[in-house]
Amino acid sequence: MRNLSLWKIDHASISASEFSSSAERSNITSTAFDLDQNALLLVTEHREDENDGDVKITVWRTANGASTEEGTPSLVTSFSTPTQLAANPWIKGTSKRSKPSFTDAEVISLHVVPDSHSLVVISRAGEIATVPLDDDSPSVEVVGSVDGGVMGAAWSPDDTLLVLVTGEDKLILMTSTFDVLSEGPLHPREFGEDAPINVGWGAKHTQFHGSLGKAAATSSIPQTAVGASPDDDGHVRVSWRGDGAYFTVSVLEGATETETRPHRTLRVYSREGALQSTAEPVPGLEHAMSWRPSGNLIVATQRFGNVPGEATQTSATGSGLGPGRDGRHDVVFFERNGLRHGEFTLREFAAREPGKTVSEQRKWGYRIRELGWSSDSNVLNVWIDREDGDVVQLWTTGNYHWYLKQEIAAPPEDGIPGRFTSVQWHPEDPLRLILTTSSDIIQRTYSWDTIASPSRPPVDSGSVAVLDGTNLLLTPFRSQNVPPPMAAHTLAVQLPPELQPSLPIRAPVPAHAAFASASDLLAILYETGVLQVFDLKTRLGPGRSKIMDPSLVWSGLLPKRTYRHVAFAASGTGEDIRIAALGSDPRSDAVDVVAVIDVSGNESKTTEIAFNAQNGRLVPSQGIVWEAPDGRIYEVDVDSKSTSEIAQFPEFCFCTVHTLVPGESIDDPSSLYIGLSHGSKLYVVDGHGTRTLATNANSFAVTPGFLIFTTTTHVAQFAPLKSLVQALRSPEAALGEFETRRVERGSRIVTVVPSTMSLVLQMPRGNLETINPRPLVMEIVRQDIDSGNYGKAFTACRKHRVDLNVFVERDREAFLKGVPSFVEQVSDVDYINLFLTSIGQGSLPVEVIAQVCDGVRAELEKRDLKKYVNSILTAHVVKRPPDHEAGLALLLHLKETEPNLVEDAVKYIIFLVDADKLFDTALGMYDFSLVLMVAQHAQKDPREYLPFLRELRTLDHYYQRFRIDDHLRRYTKALTDLSLAGPDQFDEAMAYVEKHQLYEHALSIWGGTDKYESVLNIYGDWLFDHRDFREAAFVFRQASRPEKAMIAHEKALDWQELFELAVEKTLSDDELKEVAYRVAEDLVSKKRTSEAALVLLDYAKDVREATIALVEGSHFSEARRIIVLHRRPELLEEIIHPGALECRARIAEDLGEMREQLRKQVHRLRELRVRKVEEPEAFYGVEDTDLHNVDVMTDISMAPTMFTRYTVAPSAVSKTSSKRSSRSKRKLERKVGSGRKGTVDEEEYLLKSVTKLVTRFGTTQADSASLIPHLLQFTGEHKAEAASLQRELKEFNTELTEAVEEIWKKAPENEEGVEAVPPMDSWAARMEAHEKQKHINPVDKVAKPEVGKVEWKLRVPAARPSENGAK
């Protein structure tokens, strides 16, 4: 759907004064490219007269395709060389023309060799001359001469090989230094190395021949009927494949014993000069030939029918041309193996005026001179030599159809038909074509362009125009999606006789076309200045009328220039039209001029405004906007013929669009210019700022709300225009993320139709794909919802699978107010059911769902209960939680009022809700008729429910409800029913309470009755059995069960409450002591020694046991106080002195364990850190985190790998099951951080262990602080132990402090913080996060512990040796 649009025209001339007096014999004949200097080299040939044996060759240079000084190319050098006739007066060959024509160019090849940076000139006489281009005054050196002259020459694409065809019918392959690699005959008789082999798969007549039928098996062209075209120039053509691996030679074979006619033959050779294949004989094959750079096709031309001016040939002999219609002329394709591969017919006509003589050179009125391919293989040029002037046609292909995109006519001179002397594509700029006439160099650069309608809703037709010769293929994608090469309408354009140019005579091909934005108009522009305006009359909606019915509105001829671009500047509501056509005159001032045509009725006015540069581009807009080659954008004032700069792109953008974005005020929209450069950069500017949206964009389109563009990464992005306005106002802020959608590889945007929410894409092979992107759909849906057009919005949501919750999410209050309008527009029951179901299953809050369902249900009940009964039932059951009872209640109501609707309603609600749930709900409503109705329509087995219903009918009212609620597992309600069944059911009720643990509900039921204490007693027993002794004791006391309460208090070790009850019950002293000893023993086992001592003193009166309990808990001060209080000094030496020494020994043992642990762990940490520095790869290992996502692994045993280093110890053998459960994944995660020896988590584990050790030492210090004062007050042995304990504590404190400082000392490279990893949810993500954190220094993850202050040091004088005994 793309077109070739002319972008730039560069023109240079060599004036006649540069030639000799015989200027008619001098012309430009060849061109070459100097890519290093970005220059174009060309040669002119001059002969004094026809009999002169020498020709003067002049080499010129023009920089970058433009003139260097005052429009004249600069002279490089000139030299003379003999002509082919002078060098070879007896030239011999098998060509149709025995001797070369005087009009043939003498230079057959002109090429720049980049290695030596020299120009190689090869003449037909056989001379090979080089011109060094780096010299200031280059001189010509003839490096060799070929005997017999040169008939054809071609350089390989890599500039390393040269193919020569000599006049002695030899094929020579040479290097760039002109060393001969191979030499062979030009007319070999063998097929080549790739000759087909018969593998015995049957004869030709047994094969399938498609639509041609079996007649194709026997049809064959006799060798005598294969001849050459009369237009064949007899010259040899050589063409290389783009990769330089093969080349093909087209040669005119002469008549032989078996071949009575001269004919063309194609042969393919390898890079080494070996013949690979010979093409099948093709009658009427002509001289023009070129190999497509991509390598898949060799292109040539073929004539059909009879030769004009000659007698009709018999079928036996034939004309030598292809069998077919007279005048048919095809461009044919060959494969590398020589077989044909398709064709297309040229659009030239052979009809002649009666009595007009036939030209000897152009028997059909024209002939094909040459064929050529663009460097990217996308454009084929056909050089046609017509009687009324030369024309170069540009053809492209898509979907197996060839489109004629452009025609370039040679400029006539003084009424004489113009002729081209050479046509050549630029080797690096794929759409740049260089054409030369006798004295002019014309460089035309094209670009791909899509001609799409810019109209906006509601009249957006989505029309796209494709130029194909004199036909314009039109398709309105709003109504139809017609795949190319077909179209919804084909507009055949013809020029009126008064506008037909004198030369060429044939109707030209349009250069450009444009659609109007506010009307259904189409403008067609020709390079000659002819402009036509059509009213397309496109049908937008469905119907049986024509999709388009174009009619010509206006046509006219613009001032003489070369025009290339047309755009509608503004379209009025009536017949007023303003069109802008951009053109230039390359031969004069060469600046762009825009011709503004104002058409009003039958009158028109043309105004011309000149710019200050050339090769710009019009920007479609409400006014006239022009983009300069440097990217500046100018607005044109037609009245004053002035321009003003309004914005600027960073570079020239060939595809540019202007759009207005509504702002806060309707009268103040923001103006955006969006452009795509040839470097795939997408820019947006507004006159104040510039933002680059993408650097890999390949197409874009604009809607009223979005900028849509595709990228080379095969993604379509949707940028809201309002966000672009904000981005331009804040140039420092980063661009936000746009919504994206994946598209097929190589997709490009053709057009976008906002009204149908469609985006049309074209694939690289040419076919179309229409998609409905979610952003476009949601934009239209939101607009319809806001405007209250609920019916259209609902249809769009259904068609494009949009969640119907959008109706409520957009504006809940507005939708609830508009529920009547919604129900009126979406009146279909099924649609309302679909809406309610989507709301119920959506993500809206529960209260919102209920509000919407109730609102719709109320409106439906008002309108028609009978019609919307299913929708009303849906509204009940989709709420959260579903209101099944309300739905069944509606069924009961219908059973009484509309019995004929009940059956369908029951079936529908059973369809919505599980039948068993409905059965239970009906049963819970205690209505057996409703239960039977549901059961019957749910097709339940009567044997399942009838016995149960019969049994229920025999029961009393409340007991019946009890059984129903119990069956439905409504235990709380069942207990209430059972309590109402009478006092005889109390025992059963208590059993039911115990069975279902309904104690709290039972207490609420029987509270304030005489059964309350019984319930409490049962509840207390349940709490006691479940070891909730404290709660049980409280309940027993409420139930007046003191014995059970005492037992519960004793189990809970609530000894205060226990002895309170014991004293209240006046237990005997022995019983009280027994309880005291029992409770004290339990308290001591729970390390509650102080409380145990208090119980023993208060209730058992046992000072000794109390002292023992206190000493066991290291409460020496309290123990000594009790001894003194109760006058028991003997207990000091009997209990306290040994107890103090035992406590000292226990502390010493703890210190020894801590010292051993600290030394081992510090030593291991030193080893790990040394290994981490010396062998980092072995320490960390290399693991692919994608392994965490692999669920299927082998069950066989395998050797440990780097992966096992993070899961188990290195000595273990990894075994993984084929599937990993979530439990095993969690277990694996725990293993990862377990700190086993050899894992990467070991260091972190050791740090945490040292931290715990510091905490443990703090506890030991506290115990020592309470023990040491007492040791210093006892015997000498105790004092020595105190001094020893203080020394041990001091030593370990110092060792521990030094170890902590050493361990938590950070290396310089690890002082920087590490960014925290965000929490992950999945197991694989968590493992990946762990993998990322494995290089984090564990010191950064484990906080440094603080060693506690020393509180156990006592400054006391040293005891004298004679002192002993207790203080």
Side-chain angles (χ1 to χ4, degrees):
M1 305 297 286
R2 295 193 296 171
N3 301 280
L4 273 180
S5 294
L6 182 58
W7 174 18
K8 294 187 293 187
I9 302 178
D10 294 317
H11 187 275
S13 299
I14 300 178
S15 63
S17 61
E18 298 293 335
F19 301 107
S20 62
S21 59
S22 302
E24 67 277 9
R25 295 297 183 186
S26 302
N27 55 18
I28 301 171
T29 59
S30 299
T31 58
F33 299 96
D34 185 359
L35 299 178
D36 292 339
Q37 301 296 329
N38 194 19
L40 175 67
L41 298 170
L42 53 123
V43 298
T44 59
E45 299 182 18
H46 169 67
R47 301 181 187 181
E48 292 294 338
D49 54 51
E50 187 172 344
N51 297 322
D52 189 4
D54 291 337
V55 59
K56 182 180 179 182
I57 297 177
T58 307
V59 182
W60 307 82
R61 176 192 285 117
T62 173
N64 196 24
S67 58
T68 55
E69 294 180 3
E70 298 181 357
T72 303
S74 62
L75 176 66
V76 178
T77 187
S78 63
F79 62 96
S80 296
T81 182
T83 63
Q84 186 178 13
L85 289 172
N88 303 281
W90 303 281
I91 185 170
K92 178 183 178 181
T94 58
S95 64
K96 179 180 67 174
R97 193 179 288 118
S98 59
K99 289 187 179 182
S101 171
F102 178 78
T103 59
D104 291 336
E106 188 62 32
V107 176
I108 198 171
S109 174
L110 188 68
H111 187 78
V112 176
V113 179
D115 291 343
S116 59
H117 198 222
S118 60
L119 180 67
V120 179
V121 184
I122 304 175
S123 68
R124 291 187 182 276
E127 283 194 353
I128 303 176
T130 61
V131 179
L133 299 177
D134 292 333
D135 297 348
D136 295 334
S137 300
S139 60
V140 179
E141 177 186 0
V142 178
V143 297
S145 180
V146 179
D147 295 338
V150 177
M151 300 168 59
W155 287 85
S156 64
D158 57 1
D159 303 309
T160 59
L161 297 177
L162 171 64
V163 177
L164 295 178
V165 178
T166 70
E168 297 180 347
D169 293 342
K170 292 182 179 180
L171 182 68
I172 301 175
L173 186 63
M174 309 178 71
T175 65
S176 59
T177 57
F178 310 107
D179 297 325
V180 177
L181 293 178
S182 66
E183 182 176 344
L186 182 61
H187 308 287
R189 292 300 176 186
E190 64 273 9
F191 181 88
E193 295 179 356
D194 296 339
I197 301 173
N198 186 357
V199 295
W201 285 350
K204 183 177 181 180
H205 67 274
T206 64
Q207 305 302 313
F208 176 69
H209 297 278
S211 61
L212 298 178
K214 291 188 176 181
T218 58
S219 65
S220 61
I221 300 175
Q223 193 68 33
T224 58
V226 178
S229 169
D231 291 340
D232 199 314
D233 63 4
H235 293 317
V236 178
R237 299 294 192 278
V238 182
S239 181
W240 283 84
R241 198 169 77 172
D243 59 358
Y246 299 94
F247 64 91
T248 180
V249 179
S250 172
V251 63
L252 186 64
E253 303 279 0
T256 63
E257 296 178 357
T258 59
E259 301 170 354
T260 60
R261 298 175 184 271
H263 62 279
R264 276 277 163 180
T265 302
L266 294 181
R267 293 183 177 89
V268 177
Y269 294 84
S270 68
R271 185 179 177 86
E272 292 76 22
L275 177 62
Q276 299 297 303
S277 61
T278 302
E280 59 182 284
V282 177
L285 189 65
E286 295 183 316
H287 57 275
M289 184 270 297
S290 180
W291 199 329
R292 195 175 190 178
S294 60
N296 59 337
L297 296 175
I298 302 171
V299 62
T301 58
Q302 180 186 9
R303 281 284 189 185
F304 292 84
N306 294 311
V307 180
E310 297 183 5
T312 303
Q313 305 293 327
T314 63
S315 58
T317 58
S319 62
L321 306 183
R325 173 180 52 84
D326 288 349
R328 176 182 166 189
H329 202 176
D330 284 2
V331 175
V332 296
F333 303 105
F334 295 86
E335 298 179 3
R336 188 180 67 83
N337 56 13
L339 298 179
R340 283 284 306 276
H341 188 88
E343 68 282 321
F344 69 90
T345 302
L346 292 173
R347 299 170 191 178
E348 301 295 323
F349 302 99
R352 290 188 162 274
E353 298 179 7
K356 188 174 181 179
T357 59
V358 177
S359 171
E360 183 64 27
Q361 290 184 338
R362 308 175 187 89
K363 291 184 177 294
W364 285 271
Y366 73 96
R367 62 175 179 171
I368 303 298
R369 289 284 301 273
E370 296 293 346
L371 301 172
W373 289 97
S374 63
S375 60
D376 60 358
S377 302
N378 287 330
V379 185
L380 171 67
N381 73 277
V382 181
W383 179 4
I384 301 175
D385 181 359
R386 295 177 181 163
E387 290 182 351
D388 56 353
D390 285 6
V391 170
V392 175
Q393 295 181 346
L394 303 183
W395 295 78
T396 64
T397 184
N399 250 16
Y400 304 100
H401 175 77
W402 285 87
Y403 298 87
L404 174 56
K405 292 297 185 183
Q406 291 280 345
E407 273 190 353
I408 308 169
E413 297 182 1
D414 300 329
I416 301 175
R419 301 295 176 189
F420 290 120
T421 58
S422 69
V423 178
Q424 191 173 3
W425 290 96
H426 195 281
E428 290 186 348
D429 192 347
L431 294 180
R432 188 172 171 194
L433 185 65
I434 292 86
L435 309 101
T436 62
T437 63
S438 59
S439 61
D440 295 336
I441 307 103
I442 305 170
Q443 298 198 37
R444 299 168 70 98
T445 304
Y446 292 88
S447 182
W448 295 106
D449 186 19
T450 301
I451 303 175
S453 173
S455 56
R456 295 201 165 197
V459 294
D460 51 334
S461 62
S463 298
V464 176
V466 178
L467 295 173
D468 187 11
T470 57
N471 293 330
L472 210 62
L473 309 181
L474 301 171
T475 300
F477 283 95
R478 177 172 178 174
S479 305
Q480 295 181 355
N481 187 347
V482 181
M486 299 180 291
H489 182 82
T490 300
L491 177 62
V493 292
Q494 294 182 352
L495 296 183
E498 64 272 12
L499 298 179
Q500 179 73 33
S502 59
L503 291 175
I505 299 174
R506 181 168 174 260
V509 174
H512 194 255
F515 290 93
S517 60
S519 59
D520 197 18
L521 298 178
L522 172 68
I524 300 176
L525 178 68
Y526 297 81
E527 277 195 26
T528 56
V530 177
L531 180 63
Q532 293 178 316
V533 180
F534 289 86
D535 186 1
L536 298 179
K537 302 175 185 176
T538 305
R539 172 171 54 83
L540 297 180
R544 301 181 64 86
S545 60
K546 292 182 179 180
I547 188 68
M548 281 184 175
D549 189 14
S551 61
L552 183 62
V553 175
W554 180 87
S555 63
L557 184 63
L558 304 179
K560 187 177 181 180
R561 281 187 183 82
T562 300
Y563 291 91
R564 63 180 185 274
H565 193 200
V566 64
F568 280 89
S571 297
T573 57
E575 298 180 356
D576 296 339
I577 304 172
R578 171 171 284 185
I579 309 173
L582 184 66
S584 62
D585 188 358
R587 295 193 174 188
S588 59
D589 51 6
V591 297
D592 283 354
V593 177
V594 61
V596 182
I597 305 96
D598 290 300
V599 180
S600 179
N602 296 325
E603 298 180 357
S604 63
K605 176 186 176 183
T606 302
T607 306
E608 290 189 309
I609 299 98
F611 300 105
N612 56 1
Q614 63 173 336
N615 298 326
R617 188 79 173 165
L618 291 176
V619 179
S621 178
Q622 296 298 322
I624 299 177
V625 180
W626 178 75
E627 181 186 1
D630 59 357
R632 298 178 186 270
I633 300 175
Y634 295 88
E635 187 174 19
V636 179
D637 187 348
V638 180
D639 297 332
S640 62
K641 296 185 179 181
S642 60
T643 60
S644 58
E645 182 179 346
I646 54 177
Q648 181 178 5
F649 286 116
E651 58 181 314
F652 178 78
C653 296
F654 183 82
C655 299
T656 304
V657 171
H658 174 232
T659 185
L660 296 176
V661 183
E664 297 179 359
S665 174
I666 301 178
D667 299 330
D668 186 24
S670 299
S671 180
L672 294 183
Y673 292 90
I674 303 166
L676 178 62
S677 71
H678 280 81
S680 300
K681 292 184 178 180
L682 185 64
Y683 301 103
V684 57
V685 299
D686 64 350
H688 304 287
T690 303
R691 296 300 294 265
T692 302
L693 302 181
T695 58
N696 60 344
N698 56 13
S699 64
F700 75 95
V702 178
T703 70
F706 288 94
L707 164 64
I708 309 171
F709 61 94
T710 57
T711 65
T712 54
T713 57
H714 329 302
V715 173
Q717 300 200 30
F718 303 84
L721 294 179
K722 292 185 178 180
S723 68
L724 299 182
V725 174
Q726 296 297 328
L728 289 170
R729 293 175 180 174
S730 304
E732 299 83 7
L735 284 173
E737 293 292 333
F738 304 137
E739 292 188 70
T740 62
R741 170 173 175 158
R742 298 288 297 177
V743 294
E744 189 173 337
R745 179 183 297 273
S747 298
R748 294 177 184 269
I749 296 175
V750 175
T751 187
V752 59
V753 188
S755 294
T756 58
M757 302 163 283
S758 59
L759 177 67
V760 183
L761 302 170
Q762 186 168 29
M763 308 303 112
R765 57 186 175 272
N767 61 308
L768 300 179
E769 180 180 349
T770 301
I771 62 175
N772 298 99
R774 187 52 56 96
L776 294 184
V777 174
M778 295 307 299
E779 182 184 23
I780 300 300
V781 167
R782 293 189 185 103
Q783 291 176 2
D784 291 336
I785 293 175
D786 293 341
S787 61
N789 196 350
Y790 296 116
K792 182 183 175 184
F794 185 84
T795 303
C797 290
R798 284 189 64 245
K799 181 179 179 181
H800 302 292
R801 299 183 180 181
V802 177
D803 189 358
L804 296 176
N805 285 274
V806 67
F807 284 87
V808 183
E809 293 172 348
R810 181 64 177 170
D811 190 342
R812 182 177 64 184
E813 298 299 329
F815 177 77
L816 291 175
K817 293 179 181 178
V819 165
S821 177
F822 174 83
V823 174
E824 181 178 356
Q825 297 180 41
V826 188
S827 59
D828 188 89
V829 174
D830 292 336
Y831 290 171
I832 296 177
N833 293 341
L834 176 62
F835 172 76
L836 293 172
T837 304
S838 298
I839 294 295
Q841 297 177 352
S843 58
L844 294 172
V846 175
E847 59 276 7
V848 176
I849 295 175
Q851 193 176 9
V852 173
C853 290
D854 291 340
V856 174
R857 176 183 55 78
E859 182 63 27
L860 295 177
E861 290 175 348
K862 289 180 188 177
R863 291 179 177 269
D864 192 344
L865 179 62
K866 295 171 58 178
K867 176 181 177 181
Y868 295 110
V869 60
N870 290 348
S871 299
I872 296 172
L873 290 174
T874 304
H876 284 304
V877 301
V878 298
K879 293 194 293 187
R880 301 180 192 170
D883 194 356
H884 295 158
E885 293 189 5
L888 293 175
L890 177 61
L891 294 181
L892 288 176
H893 175 71
L894 290 175
K895 185 178 180 181
E896 298 174 357
T897 59
E898 301 289 342
N900 55 330
L901 298 177
V902 174
E903 183 175 354
D904 292 337
V906 172
K907 290 180 179 179
Y908 179 75
I909 197 171
I910 291 175
F911 167 76
L912 292 179
V913 185
D914 181 65
D916 293 334
K917 288 185 178 179
L918 281 179
F919 182 86
D920 292 342
T921 304
L923 187 64
M925 296 173 67
Y926 314 117
D927 191 318
F928 292 102
S929 62
L930 186 61
V931 173
L932 289 173
M933 183 170 59
V934 172
Q936 290 170 0
H937 288 88
Q939 298 182 353
K940 292 178 70 70
D941 188 354
R943 291 175 296 180
E944 295 180 0
Y945 62 87
L946 284 180
F948 179 61
L949 295 181
R950 292 194 188 101
E951 180 185 357
L952 292 177
R953 288 181 182 274
T954 62
L955 302 177
D956 294 337
H957 177 70
Y958 287 108
Y959 197 77
Q960 180 189 81
R961 292 196 170 190
F962 162 70
R963 290 290 303 277
I964 291 174
D965 291 330
D966 179 63
H967 174 75
L968 299 178
R969 293 183 174 84
R970 300 189 297 193
Y971 303 123
T972 302
K973 194 172 183 181
L975 182 61
T976 303
D977 295 333
L978 191 58
S979 67
L980 297 175
D984 296 339
Q985 307 298 331
F986 180 75
D987 293 338
E988 183 180 356
M990 292 301 100
Y992 195 78
V993 167
E994 294 185 39
K995 180 179 179 181
H996 298 291
Q997 302 176 12
L998 303 173
Y999 300 102
E1000 294 184 359
H1001 186 59
L1003 291 174
S1004 64
I1005 292 175
W1006 280 281
T1009 65
D1010 55 348
K1011 304 294 185 180
Y1012 183 68
E1013 291 187 356
S1014 300
V1015 177
L1016 284 174
N1017 188 35
I1018 296 174
Y1019 183 37
D1021 291 339
W1022 182 83
L1023 291 173
F1024 190 89
D1025 294 339
H1026 285 76
R1027 306 189 65 81
D1028 193 352
F1029 301 117
R1030 183 172 285 104
E1031 291 290 334
F1034 173 77
V1035 171
F1036 284 138
R1037 296 183 72 164
Q1038 293 290 323
S1040 303
R1041 298 290 192 274
E1043 298 83 1
K1044 291 185 177 182
M1046 290 177 60
I1047 298 174
H1049 280 310
E1050 183 177 348
K1051 292 292 184 180
L1053 293 181
D1054 294 334
W1055 57 273
Q1056 292 92 340
E1057 291 80 0
L1058 169 64
F1059 287 107
E1060 176 189 358
L1061 289 176
V1063 172
E1064 287 180 355
K1065 286 196 63 177
T1066 63
L1067 292 179
S1068 64
D1069 293 342
D1070 295 337
E1071 291 176 339
L1072 198 60
K1073 286 184 178 180
E1074 182 181 355
V1075 172
Y1077 281 121
R1078 194 165 59 243
V1079 170
E1081 183 179 0
D1082 293 338
L1083 289 173
V1084 170
S1085 65
K1086 300 295 183 181
K1087 304 297 183 182
R1088 296 164 61 179
T1089 53
S1090 298
E1091 296 177 62
L1094 189 58
V1095 170
L1096 290 171
L1097 286 174
D1098 291 347
Y1099 301 104
K1101 310 299 182 182
D1102 192 337
V1103 178
R1104 179 183 180 85
E1105 291 297 328
T1107 304
I1108 294 174
L1110 291 172
V1111 170
E1112 187 172 347
S1114 300
H1115 303 294
F1116 294 100
S1117 298
E1118 180 65 16
R1120 293 174 65 183
R1121 185 189 70 81
I1122 291 174
I1123 290 173
V1124 173
L1125 178 64
H1126 292 277
R1127 307 290 195 275
R1128 298 290 299 275
E1130 70 279 2
L1131 297 179
L1132 183 64
E1133 294 184 1
E1134 183 180 347
I1135 297 175
I1136 292 180
H1137 285 182
L1141 293 177
E1142 289 179 4
C1143 183
R1144 160 68 178 95
R1146 186 169 61 251
I1147 292 175
E1149 184 179 353
D1150 291 343
L1151 287 174
E1153 291 178 359
M1154 288 188 287
R1155 184 180 294 105
E1156 182 180 3
Q1157 176 185 345
L1158 178 64
R1159 292 175 179 176
K1160 287 182 179 181
Q1161 291 178 342
V1162 170
H1163 178 70
R1164 180 58 181 169
L1165 283 169
R1166 291 169 182 167
E1167 289 182 354
L1168 290 176
R1169 291 178 177 177
V1170 171
R1171 187 181 177 192
K1172 186 195 305 184
V1173 176
E1174 295 179 350
E1175 302 176 5
E1177 294 184 0
F1179 180 81
Y1180 290 110
V1182 179
E1183 177 188 6
D1184 186 1
T1185 57
D1186 291 339
L1187 290 174
H1188 295 158
N1189 296 324
V1190 177
D1191 289 334
V1192 180
M1193 298 182 67
T1194 178
D1195 287 333
I1196 63 173
S1197 300
M1198 62 182 72
T1201 64
M1202 287 298 179
F1203 180 66
T1204 61
R1205 177 168 162 72
Y1206 299 94
T1207 56
V1208 296
S1211 60
V1213 177
S1214 175
K1215 294 181 181 180
T1216 55
S1217 61
S1218 59
K1219 290 188 177 180
R1220 196 184 301 278
S1221 65
S1222 59
R1223 181 178 179 183
S1224 62
K1225 291 176 182 178
R1226 295 288 182 182
K1227 185 176 181 181
L1228 178 59
E1229 291 180 35
R1230 290 194 299 269
K1231 282 185 176 181
V1232 167
S1234 62
R1236 291 188 178 184
K1237 187 174 183 181
T1239 64
V1240 293
D1241 302 299
E1242 182 183 1
E1243 183 177 2
E1244 181 180 352
Y1245 171 79
L1246 292 174
L1247 293 176
K1248 292 179 179 179
S1249 180
V1250 172
T1251 302
K1252 295 178 181 178
L1253 185 64
V1254 171
T1255 304
R1256 181 182 175 188
F1257 179 62
T1259 304
T1260 303
Q1261 283 183 309
D1263 294 342
S1264 301
S1266 63
L1267 174 63
I1268 289 176
H1270 298 284
L1271 290 176
L1272 292 174
Q1273 299 178 42
F1274 295 160
T1275 65
E1277 180 183 1
H1278 288 80
K1279 293 178 181 179
E1281 290 296 336
S1284 174
L1285 179 58
Q1286 282 187 329
R1287 184 173 61 255
E1288 292 178 7
L1289 289 171
K1290 180 179 179 181
E1291 292 174 355
F1292 185 73
N1293 183 74
T1294 303
E1295 184 177 357
L1296 181 59
T1297 303
E1298 293 175 353
V1300 169
E1301 293 297 329
E1302 176 187 354
I1303 293 172
W1304 268 270
K1305 182 180 181 181
K1306 296 183 180 179
E1309 62 271 13
N1310 293 334
E1311 290 181 357
E1312 295 182 0
V1314 180
E1315 183 180 355
V1317 178
M1320 302 291 183
D1321 294 333
S1322 66
W1323 174 78
R1326 288 192 297 268
M1327 295 302 292
E1328 183 178 358
H1330 173 78
E1331 174 68 17
K1332 290 180 180 179
Q1333 290 194 8
K1334 68 181 184 180
H1335 291 285
I1336 300 177
N1337 193 340
V1339 174
D1340 296 326
K1341 294 190 287 185
V1342 181
K1344 178 182 177 182
E1346 295 292 336
V1347 181
K1349 296 181 179 179
V1350 180
E1351 297 179 353
W1352 38 263
K1353 275 191 176 183
L1354 293 178
R1355 294 185 178 181
V1356 296
R1360 286 179 292 180
S1362 59
E1363 289 183 353
N1364 53 55
K1367 180 178 176 181

